[in-house]
Amino acid sequence: MPVDERHRDYSLVIGNLAGAAIFNSLPMDIDTDGPFALREIELQGVEWNAEVGGNTGILVPSVGIKFEDPAGRLLSQDFVASLGEFPYSGSPIMTPVIPQIIYPTNSTINVWIQNTGTNLLPNARVIFRGVSLHAEGSVACRPEYPMRFQEVPYDYPVQVTLNSSPVNNTPLNINGDADFALRQILVSLVSGTVSATEQYFLRLRDTAEKSYASLDLLALQVMANAPSTLASKIDAPFFNADRPMILVPEIYIKKNQTIYFDIVATPTFPQVLSVCFRGAKVYPK
Amino acid sequence: MNTFENTPYTPLLNRYSAAPSGFEDHWYTYYYEIATVASGIVDQFPLPIGKEADFYWRGVYGIYPARQFNILLWGPDGNKMALTDQPCENVIGQTGMPGFFYPEVMCLAGSTPKITIIENLGGAGLTFKLALIGVQRFKV
């Protein structure tokens, strides 16, 4: 059965995860518009323990999860620690799920989560990334390449000034010379300051203004509660050129069309961010 | 009833071109050091490509202080590679980790991509270090 795939993020917001706390069977509901093929997982808001096994300076994320497949079977016999399996928050490298797991329409992913550290984690969340599956031709921004075409790499940078949060409905206008295949999102700080506990989220919406995520597409901040030994990471916490956020599948925007994005953030205002939408111009031959 | 089958898949990996029969690719880095102008613009500084082989340009990295520069890359055809200039951090990976783009840009032997550098913070005398990475394609 031919299908259209549409990038989809589901965020399970844990919120406050106290030290040594275990949350059992938290439900993450799948939407009613189509099945969800889970392909990647990431944990966010994960703390680094300053000491492991008496060795100072060994930094270890302190969260483990386990979750169910569509048949209700847990996919690990114990909590899988975030260090071994799931990258820490803000890393652009999500753990792949191979083979993919397809959750039916209107189903639920049940998640167990454990804080193995001693400190409260105030911003814990689990990101399930994959694609929603739809009848062919029924979604906006589906790839519609010409029969013969030439691609040229191209960036659409958009500057966003944050005087308050959220900043909604910022447009990305595609020029009239060519369609644009959006494949990466990068973010840099233009001005202002960033601290370890600030969080940034981006909501991306297609030409029909339908979001690509249940909540926010991605958290732009690297980590919360980072210890001083990792302070150097705070200077460049966003998805820069060497660690972009990759969109799979790509989002195909026809020429002269517009998509929209929102920035939700809790920084010290004002701040200016540069959000770069990277991909390729598609010229018909 | 039609169902969505759990079929195998591989993540979408954009693939660069492979050397065709009769050609051989060699990984290569073009390195440039560019003196910047305090609170000024170095406009369309040339990044010459050697005449020995075509160069398939796949990424950039460099060494630069954070939030100091905005840049704009120009392809070998003279066209801008972005709508406007943007922070270095969006384009050029740091500390040896490149920023890649897809598709690759084919630079004919002897062609000249360019870079425009806008210095934002008044740091006089800074040297902008830039590396273009990719492959040279030789006829064998």
Side-chain angles (χ1 to χ4, degrees), chain B residues 70-83:
Chain B
N70 273 24
I71 67 161
L72 176 63
L73 291 172
W74 303 72
D77 56 0
N79 289 320
K80 295 179 186 178
M81 294 177 65
L83 185 65

Side-chain angles (χ1 to χ4, degrees), chain A residues 163-212:
Chain A
N163 292 311
S164 62
S165 177
V167 176
N168 290 330
N169 297 322
T170 305
L172 168 62
N173 298 310
I174 303 304
N175 288 347
D177 62 334
D179 297 347
F180 181 64
L182 172 60
R183 297 170 176 157
Q184 298 179 22
I185 296 178
L186 307 103
V187 181
S188 296
L189 181 68
V190 176
S191 64
T193 58
V194 177
S195 70
T197 56
E198 291 165 358
Q199 289 199 303
Y200 300 77
F201 299 92
L202 183 144
R203 283 195 294 255
L204 190 64
R205 290 177 276 121
D206 64 18
T207 52
E209 298 207 41
K210 179 175 179 176
S211 175
Y212 285 96

Side-chain angles (χ1 to χ4, degrees), chain A residues 3 100 155 188 192 241 274 278, chain B residues 4 6 67 83 86 89-90:
Chain A
V3 299
Q100 64 188 359
D155 291 349
S188 296
S274 174
R278 171 162 298 162
Chain B
F4 297 109
N6 189 9
R67 284 177 275 163
L83 185 65
Q86 59 183 316
E89 288 82 355
N90 279 352

Side-chain angles (χ1 to χ4, degrees), chain A residues 77-279:
Chain A
Q77 92 286 7
D78 201 349
F79 292 95
V80 180
S82 50
L83 175 63
E85 185 77 0
F86 308 111
Y88 56 83
S89 55
S91 166
I93 306 172
M94 302 183 80
T95 295
V97 177
I98 297 176
Q100 64 188 359
I101 302 172
I102 298 182
Y103 291 88
T105 304
N106 206 25
S107 62
T108 301
I109 305 175
N110 291 309
V111 180
W112 282 250
I113 188 165
Q114 177 187 41
N115 182 355
T116 58
T118 55
N119 295 333
L120 170 73
L121 302 178
N123 298 310
R125 64 165 68 187
V126 183
I127 307 293
F128 299 95
R129 175 163 293 163
V131 297
S132 54
L133 306 174
H134 306 270
E136 191 177 31
S138 66
V139 298
C141 296
R142 57 189 297 271
E144 291 181 319
Y145 287 87
M147 285 292 292
R148 299 182 65 211
F149 61 92
Q150 174 74 42
E151 286 185 305
V152 176
Y154 198 76
D155 291 349
Y156 278 97
V158 180
Q159 196 155 288
V160 181
T161 299
L162 302 177
N163 292 311
S164 62
S165 177
V167 176
N168 290 330
N169 297 322
T170 305
L172 168 62
N173 298 310
I174 303 304
N175 288 347
D177 62 334
D179 297 347
F180 181 64
L182 172 60
R183 297 170 176 157
Q184 298 179 22
I185 296 178
L186 307 103
V187 181
S188 296
L189 181 68
V190 176
S191 64
T193 58
V194 177
S195 70
T197 56
E198 291 165 358
Q199 289 199 303
Y200 300 77
F201 299 92
L202 183 144
R203 283 195 294 255
L204 190 64
R205 290 177 276 121
D206 64 18
T207 52
E209 298 207 41
K210 179 175 179 176
S211 175
Y212 285 96
S214 58
L215 288 175
D216 310 303
L217 182 60
L218 52 83
L220 308 175
Q221 176 67 347
V222 171
M223 65 187 82
N225 304 320
S228 58
T229 49
L230 289 181
S232 61
K233 281 188 178 285
I234 307 303
D235 293 335
F238 300 105
F239 289 134
N240 297 147
D242 50 353
R243 40 180 178 161
M245 188 230 170
I246 297 176
L247 295 169
V248 176
E250 61 194 16
I251 295 171
Y252 193 91
I253 312 164
K254 287 189 163 300
K255 59 185 178 184
N256 292 319
Q257 285 189 333
T258 300
I259 64 171
Y260 299 89
F261 67 98
D262 312 324
I263 298 286
V264 181
T266 57
T268 301
F269 299 116
Q271 272 192 354
V272 180
L273 300 180
S274 174
V275 183
C276 174
F277 297 91
R278 171 162 298 162

